[in-house]
C-alpha cells in the first residue's frame, strides 16, 4: 500500500497526469462537417446522447433496477446490493469470490438505507413509504426470517433512508428525510423508539455512529450540514457546516476525521470530529474551477485510512485521493466507471473496489412491448424507460500507479468538458452564435418553447429527409402541419436527445441543465405504479432540495441583468381560471404572467397562444420584449382516450396549431430579426422511436436559422441551453451545458427575414373520445392532473390504438439506456 501511495503521488506531479488539467490544453474539437452518432465506438467506448462517454474499468456484473447502495459483509465474502428504481425493489447478495448474484429478495419498497450488523448476522434495509425497516437474518449468502420494524405509523410521512448500527450498543439509527427526524430503535426490543427532530426541510439522509457510539452523525441533505446527536441525551448538540447536499459519510480509522460527500457541489467536506471544524474541502471534479455537476454522492476509505475513493455520479468516475497526511489530501487521478455510480466500497479481503453503477453500462431494447389485453398486464410491462436502467456492479482491482495513469486518461477522454469552460465545437466564421458568453450576437431575444413527452418518430417519422420510421409516426403531417412546415422551411433536427428520462427530471434538465441527486434518486420511487403517493412530484419547484446549485436559466438571466419572463413553467396554476398563478421559484416572482395557465389538460393550447399573442402585442406597443421567454405548450401530452376529453389526435393538433400561430406572430413582429425560437419536449418517454427513447422533437426557428437544412449533429437539451446562453451572454449552469455542443450548424451568417405563415391541421381539433373508445375505461383511472402521474406504458398504448385503430397492437419502441442507433451508414459518417 505504501509503494502504491508513493508511486501514484509521484505520477501526479508529472506532466502525464497534469496535462489534462491545464486550461491551455483543451481537448480537440471535432471538424465542423463530422457526423457524430451515439453508440459503441471502436475500442469499447460508448458515446452517450449528451456527448459524454463510458469506458468503465474492471469487470461489470449485471444487477437489477437502479442499485443505490452497497453493504459489504464484515467477513469480506459477500456484498449486499439495494435496488430502488421504478421497477422491483430488491436486495441482491453477491458472492465476491465468484462475482455472481447468489440470492435476491424482493421487498415492497425501499429508499437508500442498507447495512449489516457489525457481527454480520443481520441485514437491515429501509422500507420507503411503508415506514418500516426490513430486517433479515443472514448466513452464507442467504437472507431469512424477514420481519418489519415499524418506525412511525404508516399514516405519517417519514420515509426511512440511511441506517446505521453499532457493535457496542443495541441501537439501530434510522434517518427520515420527509420526517425531518432520526429514530433510534432498540434492536432487541423494536417497540422502544426515540425520535430526535431537526428543523423543517432538513431532510436527514445518512447516519453514522462515532467510534465509541457516544454520538451519531447525521447528514442533512437540504441544510448543507452534519448534525451531531448526543446519544446519552438523545438530542442535537452541534451542527457542522458542509458543502451542498451532504449524503454519505465515512470516518477515518481513528475516528478523528469525518469525510462527507456533498452531491450538489463538486466536493467532499472534511471535518475534525473533536472540535467540529472544517479541516479541508476536497474538489472531486475533473477540473478545479468548473460549474457544479459531477455529483459526489458516495465514498469509502481503505482500512488504513490512507486512500479515499469518491463516486462522482454524473461524471461516471471515481476520484481518488491520498489522505495519508491529515488535512492535506493529494489527488491521485480518476477511475472511469459505469453510468451514474451511486456507491463505492473497498474490500480489504480481496483488495478490490466495488462500484454500484445506477444506470449500468449498456442499452436494452424492449422487445416485449406493452399489451393491456393480457391478463395481469401490469406485471408484463417491464420495458418502460424507467425500468431499463439495469445497473451493474463494477469490480476493479486496486490500481497500480501505471494503471492509474491510464485510467485517468480514459476518464478525461470520456468527458467533453473543458477546463476553461470553452465551447466544445468549432464555430464557423461569422456564425451568429457567439464563441463565448459576452461576445455580441445579432440575436437579442430568445423564446424557449417546452412541450410534453413526444419522440422524434411519433411526429417526424414520415419526413423522408430525416432519419425517421414512418411506421411509428402517430401524428403525421395532416395532424402536425406546422411542425412539418417549420422543420422543412428552417432546420430539421433528427439527432437531438433529451437529457432527462421522464418529466420529473426532464423539466429540471430543460431549465437547469442538471437534475440533482435528490431528483435522480426520488423520481424512480414516485413513478412506480404501486407507490403510496406520499412523496409527490419531486421537481419543478415542489421541493427546495431539488434546486441545483447552479440554479435555473432565469437565475442566470437575473445574474446577468437579462430581462426574462415565464409563461407556465415553474408556475402553480390558480384554482379557478380567473385566479392568478403563483411562482414556484423566488427568481420568477414579478417575472411571469399570472394569467397564463400552465399544465392543465382541460385548457387548450389555443387559449395559451391567445394569451401569449396578447402579451406580444403589448411588447410591440412598448417597443421592447423580455430578452428571454420560456413558453409552455403542454397539450401534446394528451389525456389518452378518456371519455369526453379531446382525442390524442385533437390534442396534438391543438398543440401544433398553437405553435404555428406563435411562430407566425413573432415572425411578423418588429422583434423578428433579433429573435430565435427554440422548441423541445421536456422528455421523450411517451412513445416509440426506432433509434432511442431519448430522441425527441425539436425545432430552431429564426431569420438566422439555416433554411431547408437537415442538421444531424448530435445535440441534447443541454446543447439548446448552451446555445441560448451564448446568445444572451449567460454563464453555464452546470458541467453539462458547459460541455454541450452549441448548435452552430443550425445557424447561418446572413439573416433571411421571410415571415412564417401558419397552417391549420387537417383534423378536427374538437373531436372528443367516445365511451366506446379503446382504453376509455382505463383512461378514466389515469391521474392527468399533473405530468406523468399516469402509468406511462398503458397510457402510451391507449394513444397508439386511438390513432392506429383498436386492433393495431403497438410495436415495441426501442428503449435504450443510451443510444445504439439502427442507422444506415451515411457518406459523411465518421464512425
Amino acid at each position: 500500500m505504501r509503494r502504491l501511495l508513493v508511486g501514484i503521488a509521484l505520477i501526479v506531479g508529472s506532466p502525464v497526469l497534469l496535462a489534462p488539467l491545464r486550461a491551455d490544453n483543451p481537448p480537440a474539437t471535432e471538424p465542423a462537417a463530422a457526423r457524430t452518432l451515439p453508440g459503441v465506438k471502436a475500442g469499447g467506448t460508448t458515446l452517450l446522447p449528451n456527448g459524454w462517454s463510458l469506458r468503465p474499468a474492471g469487470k461489470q456484473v449485471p444487477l437489477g433496477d437502479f442499485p443505490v447502495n452497497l453493504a459489504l459483509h464484515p467477513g469480506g465474502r459477500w456484498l449486499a446490493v439495494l435496488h430502488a428504481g421504478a421497477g422491483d425493489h430488491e436486495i441482491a447478495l453477491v458472492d465476491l469470490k465468484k462475482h455472481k448474484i447468489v440470492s435476491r429478495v424482493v421487498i415492497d419498497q425501499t429508499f437508500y438505507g442498507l447495512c449489516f450488523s457489525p457481527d454480520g448476522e443481520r441485514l437491515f434495509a429501509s422500507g420507503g413509504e411503508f415506514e418500516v425497516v426490513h430486517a433479515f437474518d443472514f448466513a452464507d449468502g442467504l437472507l431469512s426470517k424477514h420481519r418489519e420494524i415499524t418506525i412511525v405509523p404508516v399514516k405519517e410521512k417519514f420515509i426511512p433512508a440511511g441506517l446505521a448500527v453499532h457493535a457496542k450498543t443495541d441501537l439501530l439509527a434510522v434517518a427520515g428525510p420527509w420526517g425531518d427526524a432520526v429514530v433510534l430503535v432498540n434492536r432487541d426490543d423494536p417497540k422502544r423508539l426515540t425520535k430526535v427532530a431537526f428543523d423543517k426541510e432538513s431532510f436527514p439522509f445518512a447516519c453514522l455512529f462515532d467510534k465509541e457510539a457516544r454520538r451519531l452523525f447525521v447528514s442533512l441533505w437540504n441544510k448543507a450540514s452534519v448534525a451531531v446527536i448526543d446519544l446519552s441525551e438523545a438530542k442535537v448538540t452541534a451542527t457542522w457546516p458542509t458543502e451542498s447536499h451532504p449524503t454519505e459519510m465515512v470516518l477515518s480509522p481513528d475516528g478523528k476525521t469525518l469525510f462527507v460527500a456533498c452531491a450538489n457541489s463538486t466536493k467532499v467536506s472534511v471535518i475534525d470530529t473533536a472540535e467540529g471544524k472544517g479541516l479541508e474541502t476536497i474538489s472531486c471534479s475533473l477540473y478545479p474551477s468548473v460549474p457544479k455537476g459531477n455529483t459526489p454522492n458516495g465514498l469509502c476509505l481503505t482500512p488504513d485510512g490512507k486512500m479515499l475513493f469518491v463516486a462522482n455520479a454524473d461524471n461516471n468516475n471515481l476520484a481518488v485521493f491520498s489522505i495519508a497526511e491529515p488535512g492535506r489530501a493529494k489527488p491521485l487521478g480518476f477511475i472511469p466507471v459505469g453510468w451514474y455510480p451511486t456507491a463505492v466500497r473497498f474490500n480489504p479481503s480481496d483488495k478490490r473496489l466495488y462500484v454500484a453503477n445506477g444506470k449500468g453500462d449498456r442499452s436494452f431494447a424492449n422487445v416485449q412491448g406493452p399489451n393491456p389485453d393480457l391478463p395481469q398486464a401490469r406485471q408484463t410491462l417491464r420495458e418502460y424507460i424507467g425500468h431499463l436502467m439495469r445497473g451493474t456492479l463494477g469490480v476493479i482491482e486496486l490500481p497500480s500507479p501505471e494503471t492509474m495513469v491510464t485510467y485517468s486518461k480514459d476518464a478525461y477522454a470520456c468527458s467533453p468538458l473543458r477546463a476553461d469552460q470553452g465551447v466544445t465545437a468549432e464555430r464557423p466564421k461569422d456564425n451568429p452564435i457567439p464563441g463565448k458568453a459576452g461576445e455580441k450576437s445579432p440575436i437579442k431575444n430568445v423564446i424557449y418553447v417546452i412541450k410534453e413527452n413526444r419522440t422524434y418518430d411519433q411526429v417526424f417519422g414520415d419526413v423522408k429527409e430525416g432519419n425517421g420510421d414512418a411506421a411509428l409516426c402517430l401524428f403525421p403531417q395532416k395532424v402536425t402541419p406546422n411542425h412539418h412546415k417549420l422543420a422543412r422551411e428552417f432546420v430539421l433536427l433528427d439527432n437531438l436527445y433529451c437529457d432527462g428520462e421522464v418529466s420529473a427530471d426532464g423539466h429540471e434538465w430543460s431549465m437547469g441543465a442538471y437534475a440533482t441527486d435528490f431528483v435522480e434518486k426520488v423520481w424512480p420511487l414516485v413513478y412506480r405504479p404501486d407507490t403510496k403517493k406520499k412523496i409527490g412530484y419531486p421537481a419543478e419547484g415542489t421541493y427546495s432540495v431539488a434546486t441545483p446549485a447552479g440554479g435555473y436559466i432565469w437565475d442566470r438571466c437575473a445574474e446577468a441583468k437579462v430581462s426574462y419572463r415565464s409563461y407556465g413553467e415553474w408556475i402553480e396554476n390558480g384554482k379557478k381560471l380567473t385566479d392568478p398563478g403563483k411562482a414556484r421559484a423566488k427568481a420568477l416572482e414579478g417575472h411571469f404572467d399570472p394569467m397564463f395557465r400552465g399544465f392543465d389538460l382541460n385548457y387548450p393550447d389555443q387559449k395559451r397562444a391567445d394569451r401569449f399573442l396578447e402579451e406580444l402585442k403589448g411588447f410591440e406597443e412598448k417597443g421592447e420584449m423580455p430578452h428571454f421567454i420560456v413558453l409552455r405548450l403542454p397539450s401534446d401530452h394528451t389525456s389518452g382516450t378518456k371519455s369526453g376529453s379531446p382525442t390524442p389526435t385533437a390534442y396534438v393538433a391543438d398543440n401544433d396549431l398553437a405553435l404555428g400561430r406563435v411562430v407566425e406572430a413573432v415572425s411578423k413582429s418588429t422583434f423578428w430579426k433579433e429573435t430565435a425560437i427554440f422548441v423541445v419536449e421536456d422528455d421523450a418517454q411517451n412513445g416509440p422511436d426506432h433509434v432511442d427513447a431519448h430522441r425527441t422533437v425539436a425545432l430552431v426557428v429564426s431569420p438566422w436559422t439555416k433554411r431547408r437544412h437537415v442538421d444531424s449533429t448530435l445535440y441534447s437539451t443541454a446543447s439548446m441551453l448552451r446555445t441560448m446562453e451564448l446568445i444572451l451572454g449567460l454563464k453555464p449552469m452546470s458541467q453539462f451545458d458547459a460541455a454541450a455542443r452549441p448548435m452552430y450548424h443550425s445557424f447561418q451568417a446572413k439573416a433571411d427575414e421571410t415571415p412564417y405563415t401558419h397552417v391549420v391541421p387537417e383534423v378536427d381539433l374538437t373531436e372528443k373520445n367516445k365511451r366506446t373508445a379503446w382504453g376509455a375505461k382505463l383512461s378514466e383511472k389515469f391521474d392527468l392532473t399533473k405530468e406523468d402521474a399516469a402509468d406511462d406504458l398503458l397510457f402510451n398504448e391507449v394513444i397508439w390504438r386511438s390513432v392506429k385503430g383498436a386492433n393495431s397492437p403497438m410495436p415495441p419502441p426501442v428503449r435504450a439506456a443510451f443510444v445504439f442507433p439502427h442507422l444506415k451508414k451515411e457518406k459523411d459518417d465518421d464512425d
Side-chain angles (χ1 to χ4, degrees), residues 542-556:
T542 305
Y543 288 101
S544 61
V545 68
T547 304
Y552 301 104
I553 191 165
W554 43 78
D555 297 303
R556 284 292 187 255

Side-chain angles (χ1 to χ4, degrees), residues 676-801:
I677 303 170
F678 295 82
V679 184
V680 75
E681 310 284 318
D682 70 308
D683 66 79
Q685 67 169 310
N686 276 136
D689 190 277
H690 82 282
V691 175
D692 183 80
H694 297 84
R695 194 171 67 136
T696 197
V697 176
L699 297 163
V700 180
V701 182
S702 172
W704 300 95
T705 303
K706 290 180 181 178
R707 295 285 183 146
R708 292 164 292 281
H709 176 65
V710 178
D711 186 354
S712 294
T713 310
L714 180 102
Y715 296 129
S716 67
T717 308
S719 297
M720 272 199 172
L721 288 166
R722 180 61 155 159
T723 308
M724 291 186 279
E725 290 164 351
L726 290 168
I727 291 170
L728 298 172
L730 311 181
K731 294 190 300 184
M733 296 173 284
S734 78
Q735 294 178 17
F736 291 92
D737 50 340
R741 180 185 291 109
M743 303 178 75
Y744 289 131
H745 299 329
S746 291
F747 290 85
Q748 61 189 12
K750 185 178 179 180
D752 179 347
E753 297 181 53
T754 305
Y756 176 77
T757 301
H758 80 268
V759 186
V760 177
E762 299 176 24
V763 296
D764 184 1
L765 273 69
T766 64
E767 183 183 22
K768 298 292 192 296
N769 291 313
K770 298 178 181 178
R771 290 179 178 239
T772 55
W774 194 96
K777 291 184 179 180
L778 194 60
S779 295
E780 294 289 340
K781 300 177 181 179
F782 291 150
D783 181 358
L784 301 172
T785 59
K786 50 186 176 290
E787 308 94 310
D788 298 354
D791 185 296
D792 177 73
L793 284 172
L794 292 174
F795 186 64
N796 195 45
E797 183 151 3
V798 165
I799 294 173
W800 176 272
R801 294 192 187 232

Side-chain angles (χ1 to χ4, degrees), residues 359-486:
K359 300 182 182 182
D361 69 340
R362 58 179 290 247
S363 69
F364 294 85
N366 58 340
V367 295
Q368 297 176 346
N371 186 354
D373 288 336
L374 296 174
Q376 295 182 327
R378 189 178 297 274
Q379 299 302 316
T380 70
L381 303 179
R382 298 183 183 278
E383 293 187 339
Y384 167 50
I385 190 170
H387 302 169
L388 284 176
M389 306 305 177
R390 310 306 292 182
T392 61
L393 178 68
V395 183
I396 306 168
E397 302 285 346
L398 190 65
S400 67
E402 294 77 17
T403 304
M404 274 302 301
V405 173
T406 301
Y407 282 163
S408 295
K409 287 181 178 180
D410 286 346
Y412 278 101
C414 285
S415 167
L417 186 66
R418 289 175 45 157
D420 61 358
Q421 301 179 43
V423 297
T424 54
E426 183 178 339
R427 177 180 177 265
K429 185 179 179 181
D430 299 324
N431 195 278
I433 308 304
K436 61 182 179 180
E439 293 180 349
K440 289 186 178 181
S441 170
I443 304 170
K444 308 298 181 186
N445 309 309
V446 168
I447 299 174
Y448 186 25
V449 180
I450 298 294
K451 303 182 333 96
E452 289 285 337
N453 300 14
R454 299 292 135 222
T455 64
Y456 177 92
D457 274 341
Q458 278 187 301
V459 177
F460 289 143
D462 62 337
V463 179
K464 294 180 180 179
E465 296 87 344
N467 177 32
D469 186 340
L472 299 180
C473 185
L474 285 180
F475 307 110
Q477 183 164 327
K478 70 175 184 178
V479 182
T480 55
N482 289 288
H483 283 74
H484 284 71
K485 185 178 179 182
L486 289 167

Side-chain angles (χ1 to χ4, degrees), residues 511-512 547-562 564 570 585-588 628 730-731 733:
M511 297 300 136
T547 304
Y552 301 104
I553 191 165
W554 43 78
D555 297 303
R556 284 292 187 255
C557 286
E559 177 185 62
K561 295 182 171 51
V562 171
Y564 59 97
W570 253 253
K586 188 174 182 180
L588 287 178
F628 174 75
L730 311 181
K731 294 190 300 184
M733 296 173 284

Side-chain angles (χ1 to χ4, degrees), residues 123-259:
L123 180 72
F124 301 92
S126 60
E129 292 175 307
F130 289 89
E131 310 299 0
V132 299
V133 168
H134 299 282
F136 302 86
D137 286 357
F138 174 82
D140 298 325
L142 298 176
L143 298 176
S144 63
K145 297 183 179 178
H146 175 227
R147 57 264 189 208
E148 295 181 350
I149 301 172
T150 299
I151 304 302
V152 298
V154 71
K155 64 180 180 180
E156 294 185 20
K157 187 161 66 173
F158 184 83
I159 321 295
L163 307 175
V165 293
H166 198 281
K168 294 184 178 180
T169 71
D170 57 359
L171 288 180
L172 166 68
V174 185
W178 281 263
D180 292 313
V182 162
V183 169
L184 303 173
V185 184
N186 186 299
R187 287 185 290 150
D188 296 324
D189 185 3
K191 293 184 179 180
R192 291 173 55 190
L193 307 174
T194 302
K195 181 183 286 189
V196 181
F198 303 101
D199 292 339
K200 188 177 180 180
E201 296 188 352
S202 291
F203 280 81
F205 184 80
C207 299
L208 183 65
F209 287 101
D210 73 0
K211 194 172 182 181
E212 300 301 324
R214 295 173 181 171
R215 297 178 296 175
L216 181 73
F217 305 124
V218 183
S219 58
L220 302 182
W221 212 3
N222 197 33
K223 292 295 184 181
S225 60
V226 169
V228 182
I229 295 176
D230 183 317
L231 294 173
S232 64
E233 299 182 15
K235 71 177 184 179
V236 177
T237 57
T239 303
W240 300 336
T242 67
E243 296 293 317
S244 181
H245 281 207
T247 52
E248 199 160 82
M249 302 172 289
V250 65
L251 275 170
S252 60
D254 61 10
K256 294 180 179 180
T257 308
L258 180 69
F259 297 85

